Amino acid sequence: MNGVNGPQNGQPHLDHADGQYFLTEAYKVILEEVLCKGTDVKEKVCDWHDPEELSALLDLELREGGESHHQLLQRVRDVAKYSVKTNHPRFFNQLFAGVDYHSLAGRFLTEALNTSQYTYEVAPVFVLMENVMLTKLRSMVGWPQGDGIFCPGGSVSNMYAMNVARYRAYPQVKVQGLWAVPRLAAFTSQESHYSLCKAASFLGIGLDNVFMVKVNERYFMQTDLLELLPFLTQGAVPFLVSATSGTTIQGAFDPLDRIADICDKNKLWMHVDAAWGGSVLFSKKHKHLMKGIERADSLAWNPHKMLLAGLQCCVFLLKDNTDLLKQCHCANATYLFQQDKFYDMRMDTGDKSVQCGRKVDCLKLWLMWKAVGTEGLAERVDKVFKLARYLVREMSKREGFQLVNEPQFVNVCFWYIPPSLRGKEGNNDYQEKLSKVAPVIKERMMRKGSMMVGYQPLREKVNFFRMVIISPHISQEDMDFFLDEIERLGKDLYNAL
């Protein structure tokens, strides 16, 4: 095979047959290392190395000459070997985990087709597919009509919400800039995602004008404080309330009906960041957590999280059907959006986005949904809820596990109290020592490669673990292993504290 041992005829790796042979062999490596070993509970979640050592193992340097297929296949194998296996049953570290093979096929196909989702002429299949997906997702929210777009992340969806909300209230801002609008104020929860603050900064609204509403003992927004919003803004004009369905750390759901009442009363845009929790809408048993969502004006929802659609798959949905999204974002570039095209120009959706080139993110969700159906996706949601409840019950049977709060969702937040700290809660240095437990256990599990779970402090609370249960491939045995492993890694903690 030409090119197997290196570049041929001065045109390195440009022959189709040569490239297809390499791709076939590379796929075999990916299948073995990522999808077979990477989902095998007997394999490591990660093969940890410190940065200097890992750099040497990977040989990351770029040189003047190219490499042979044999060398390149080893590069593929090395990348797979030393990367974190997020498909592994013991990966609990992020708000994404596991693999859906139909979605993965959609991701492969998306990459191979390599098109941009901005006009019907270059992405006809995907323009139609995206419209179908957005319509279906809106119907689950309770909006028979509306608008939307796939976005590169929930953070961008939240920024879109803030931008569109401001544009609806003050459309002149698009042309005249910030001088044309009063000082504005947005409201969100203390537990909301940091992207709301970033959006306010990027859009010129300012961090000082994002008012963080305190949460109650269940970690959702205290709506009685929202009643005071005219008195909290120090002269700024309220224009947006961003509620959260499924907060990042605690998994809390804000009371949407109550927030909608306040927004209606004050004529404010109501956005819901449901990037994490939106998938409860599939579940008949758990969708009550988002009761009142149909009253919102916009919604962020990330199917790449609980639904396993694969990174990244995020939608921004709106109730509005007056083309507000396009009016807010469009620039009418004539080289892309010619007004005399031979087909319906409404099919060119690219001007709804702040991007020009836009990756196709709908295919992976569509193919997965086609494969398992709405009922299959609902079963996934219900299963991880059951596993989270099982984990909480098992924790209650073991000494040393202390919940931060009773979970609403599939985030299980807890402290592990090693034997050396039990019974010493009244000591002056107890909190300081407790804060060191999670970091030490995390380092041990990473170096061992046995599992991954995150930790963090939260305001006055010292470091605690956030166990997130997402993948439908995991079992009660994995939950038992998790508890056993925390105990194994932390039982001898004394000098380290």
Side-chain angles (χ1 to χ4, degrees):
M1 181 65 65
N2 287 341
V4 171
N5 295 314
Q8 302 292 317
N9 302 321
Q11 294 293 319
H13 307 296
L14 290 183
D15 179 73
H16 281 299
D18 184 45
Q20 289 162 16
Y21 172 77
F22 172 75
L23 184 61
T24 301
E25 294 302 304
Y27 175 74
K28 292 177 184 177
V29 175
I30 294 169
L31 187 63
E32 176 188 356
E33 294 290 337
V34 179
L35 300 175
C36 292
K37 291 183 181 179
T39 58
D40 186 345
V41 73
K42 296 186 293 295
E43 298 285 340
K44 290 183 176 182
V45 178
C46 66
D47 187 353
W48 179 263
H49 296 272
D50 290 324
E52 296 80 7
E53 183 184 5
L54 183 58
S55 293
L57 286 168
L58 293 174
D59 185 16
L60 296 171
E61 183 182 347
L62 299 174
R63 302 178 177 88
E64 293 297 321
E67 296 184 339
S68 69
H69 277 192
H70 175 76
Q71 290 172 303
L72 292 171
L73 288 173
Q74 186 59 47
R75 304 300 183 210
V76 173
R77 191 176 296 277
D78 288 344
V79 168
K81 174 179 172 60
Y82 297 116
S83 291
V84 173
K85 307 306 188 294
T86 64
N87 302 329
H88 195 284
R90 307 279 166 78
F91 178 81
F92 311 113
N93 206 69
Q94 310 299 143
L95 301 185
F96 59 87
V99 60
D100 179 278
Y101 291 97
H102 303 97
S103 173
L104 185 57
R107 291 151 74 185
F108 287 159
L109 182 54
T110 296
E111 295 299 328
L113 289 170
N114 191 39
T115 194
S116 177
Q117 181 131 10
Y118 38 37
T119 63
Y120 183 79
E121 65 184 277
V122 296
V125 172
F126 301 126
V127 166
L128 296 177
M129 186 181 292
E130 183 178 59
N131 284 339
V132 168
M133 296 305 306
L134 293 171
T135 299
K136 182 67 174 179
L137 292 169
R138 283 196 306 267
S139 72
M140 297 183 69
V141 175
W143 298 336
Q145 295 180 310
D147 203 351
I149 195 167
F150 278 73
C151 288
S155 295
V156 174
S157 297
N158 289 336
M159 183 177 72
Y160 279 13
M162 192 171 284
N163 200 35
V164 172
R166 180 177 64 178
Y167 179 81
R168 184 189 68 166
Y170 301 97
Q172 67 270 27
V173 71
K174 181 176 178 180
V175 175
Q176 299 175 30
L178 296 178
W179 296 106
V181 300
R183 181 169 153 246
L184 300 176
F187 291 82
T188 191
S189 157
Q190 282 180 307
E191 296 279 305
S192 65
H193 194 259
Y194 64 84
S195 59
L196 272 300
C197 289
K198 280 193 172 185
S201 178
F202 294 159
L203 295 172
I205 291 166
L207 297 178
D208 285 348
N209 297 313
V210 179
F211 293 86
M212 298 291 183
V213 181
K214 291 183 179 180
V215 295
N216 64 14
E217 68 280 357
R218 294 298 305 277
Y219 295 95
F220 56 71
M221 197 187 303
Q222 293 189 51
T223 53
D224 55 331
L225 293 179
L226 272 179
E227 293 279 17
L228 301 173
L229 61 87
F231 306 101
L232 298 173
T233 58
Q234 302 166 1
V237 179
F239 78 109
L240 168 79
V241 175
S242 180
T244 309
S245 288
T247 57
T248 304
I249 299 175
Q250 303 274 25
F253 286 73
D254 287 335
L256 302 184
D257 264 329
R258 185 72 190 102
I259 293 170
D261 289 342
I262 294 168
C263 288
D264 288 347
K265 177 181 177 181
N266 293 277
K267 295 182 173 56
L268 303 176
W269 185 280
M270 178 180 170
H271 173 64
V272 179
D273 177 2
W276 174 214
S279 295
V280 300
L281 293 174
F282 279 91
S283 170
K284 293 178 181 178
K285 186 175 182 180
H286 300 291
K287 66 180 181 181
H288 67 88
L289 291 168
M290 292 183 66
K291 182 180 180 296
I293 184 58
E294 72 283 353
R295 299 178 64 188
D297 295 294
S298 60
L299 173 76
W301 183 357
N302 291 4
H304 73 236
K305 294 185 175 176
M306 183 167 280
L307 297 184
L308 274 72
L311 286 164
Q312 57 193 6
C313 188
C314 315
V315 293
F316 174 59
L317 304 176
L318 298 96
K319 185 190 296 184
D320 173 82
N321 61 358
T322 67
D323 225 12
L324 189 64
L325 181 62
K326 183 176 180 181
Q327 293 168 29
C328 180
H329 289 161
C330 72
N332 299 313
T334 56
Y335 77 97
L336 279 176
F337 307 112
Q338 302 93 336
Q339 298 303 303
D340 53 359
K341 288 186 177 183
F342 62 93
Y343 59 83
D344 187 347
M345 271 292 295
R346 289 175 298 178
M347 292 291 99
D348 288 355
T349 56
D351 239 3
K352 294 180 182 181
S353 169
V354 298
Q355 303 165 256
C356 179
R358 185 162 64 94
K359 187 176 179 66
V360 174
D361 285 329
C362 58
L363 174 57
K364 55 194 142 190
L365 178 59
W366 177 85
L367 195 58
M368 178 180 71
W369 204 325
K370 278 283 192 180
V372 304
T374 305
E375 290 181 357
L377 295 176
E379 288 172 4
R380 292 181 180 185
V381 175
D382 289 338
K383 180 179 179 180
V384 292
F385 266 93
K386 289 179 182 177
L387 285 173
R389 302 301 174 257
Y390 173 81
L391 180 65
V392 170
R393 287 196 304 272
E394 292 303 305
M395 275 186 180
S396 69
K397 301 174 185 177
R398 303 192 185 208
E399 191 176 3
F401 290 89
Q402 180 182 333
L403 288 173
V404 175
N405 67 295
E406 193 68 29
Q408 280 186 285
F409 196 26
V410 295
N411 306 43
V412 181
C413 296
F414 67 95
W415 290 281
Y416 176 68
I417 303 168
S420 62
L421 284 182
R422 292 172 197 168
K424 299 180 180 178
E425 291 80 2
N427 291 6
N428 291 334
D429 61 352
Y430 176 80
Q431 290 295 320
E432 179 185 357
K433 289 185 174 181
L434 182 60
S435 72
K436 298 176 182 178
V437 172
V440 173
I441 292 178
K442 177 64 178 281
E443 179 181 357
R444 290 179 175 184
M445 73 175 68
M446 293 289 290
R447 294 193 181 279
K448 183 179 177 183
S450 59
M451 64 182 189
M452 284 180 63
V453 64
Y455 73 87
Q456 63 286 300
L458 183 64
R459 292 186 297 279
E460 75 282 358
K461 292 180 172 59
V462 299
N463 286 324
F464 57 86
F465 288 110
R466 180 196 66 169
M467 170 64 163
V468 185
I469 303 164
I470 299 175
S471 172
H473 297 126
I474 61 178
S475 64
Q476 290 185 1
E477 288 73 21
D478 295 308
M479 301 296 97
D480 294 336
F481 173 87
F482 173 79
L483 296 175
D484 291 342
E485 187 70 355
I486 291 288
E487 289 178 333
R488 278 192 293 267
L489 296 170
K491 64 183 178 182
D492 67 340
L493 285 182
Y494 184 79
N495 292 333
L497 305 181

